[in-house]
Amino acid sequence: KQDQKALSQHCPHIKVLQTNKTMIYQLKREQHINCSLDEAWAFFSTPRNLDKLTPESVGFKITHCNSETAHEGQMIGYKVKVAPFTWVTWLTEITKVNDKESFVDDQRIGPYKVWHHTHRFQEQEDGVLMTDDVTYVMPFGILGDIVHALFVKNKLRHIFDERKRLCEQYFSAENASVS
């Protein structure tokens, strides 16, 4: 319980639930994007654009993507660098798509025991509110939870912080070129 409280203080976007000694982590991020809902949906529902939003320092390569737009049943393959000289295969499936509203990707093969990521888009008067809700479980029980505390939570925070920065940069540049 103290570990959960400490994690909540240092990482307010990562919530921890515990059931039968399994730690279930939840990460939630919201970001205002300066564009229309159509523009946001067109960009984020194109799987290959994930490359534009992932910092190079993460070590991330799309290896398999057979469609330019997200659709239910679509499988997307990646290689992810989890440690120096160590790449793992990550395969996600788009399991749900609500046009211009949300889509869900679930890990089928990869570094997590469970990875469930819901992407939501809500039109607002001055742009779009994008929400990422991720529920994930580390593999290897207590050892995975230690790795999470020492490494994974900070790496995820870095990825989503950089994603926010890259989104702001991309959409402000896009709007500047349209003006």
Side-chain angles (χ1 to χ4, degrees):
K1 298 256 183 222
Q2 283 182 326
D3 291 342
Q4 292 174 11
K5 188 175 181 181
L7 180 63
S8 295
Q9 288 173 344
H10 295 330
C11 300
H13 1 294
I14 297 179
K15 193 164 130 184
V16 181
L17 306 171
Q18 186 172 359
T19 59
N20 297 331
K21 299 186 181 182
T22 298
M23 301 294 271
I24 302 169
Y25 301 97
Q26 294 179 315
L27 180 141
K28 181 175 183 173
R29 288 290 182 97
E30 292 184 336
Q31 179 176 2
H32 177 268
I33 302 171
N34 188 21
C35 67
S36 71
L37 181 58
D38 287 340
E39 292 168 313
W41 185 259
F43 182 82
F44 289 100
S45 67
T46 301
R48 292 209 179 271
N49 284 338
L50 191 53
D51 276 343
K52 296 176 183 169
L53 298 177
T54 305
E56 286 184 34
S57 61
V58 169
F60 178 88
K61 301 174 194 170
I62 295 175
T63 59
H64 173 77
C65 181
N66 61 1
S67 177
E68 291 306 311
T69 56
H71 59 85
E72 290 180 14
Q74 180 179 22
M75 303 296 254
I76 306 166
Y78 320 90
K79 287 287 187 185
V80 181
K81 191 175 190 179
V82 295
F85 310 109
T86 307
W87 292 78
V88 297
T89 297
W90 193 352
L91 180 68
T92 59
E93 178 181 1
I94 303 297
T95 55
K96 189 170 187 178
V97 176
N98 293 316
D99 192 48
K100 296 182 185 169
E101 192 175 302
S102 65
F103 64 93
V104 175
D105 64 85
D106 286 309
Q107 173 187 284
R108 295 296 176 238
I109 299 169
Y112 298 92
K113 187 173 183 180
V114 173
W115 177 272
H116 178 83
H117 184 178
T118 302
H119 310 254
R120 288 187 182 83
F121 305 88
Q122 182 181 0
E123 191 167 30
Q124 298 184 322
E125 199 172 292
D126 59 345
V128 174
L129 176 64
M130 179 179 70
T131 304
D132 288 290
D133 281 309
V134 182
T135 301
Y136 62 101
V137 175
M138 297 296 297
F140 310 120
I142 188 88
L143 181 60
D145 294 329
I146 292 168
V147 170
H148 181 268
L150 295 175
F151 177 69
V152 174
K153 72 177 182 201
N154 291 328
K155 186 159 187 167
L156 286 174
R157 183 180 352 170
H158 169 70
I159 290 168
F160 279 87
D161 286 349
E162 281 297 292
R163 180 180 178 189
K164 180 178 182 174
R165 183 186 68 75
L166 291 167
C167 274
E168 288 169 354
Q169 185 179 345
Y170 178 83
F171 284 101
S172 66
E174 184 175 270
N175 287 331
S177 67
V178 172
S179 301

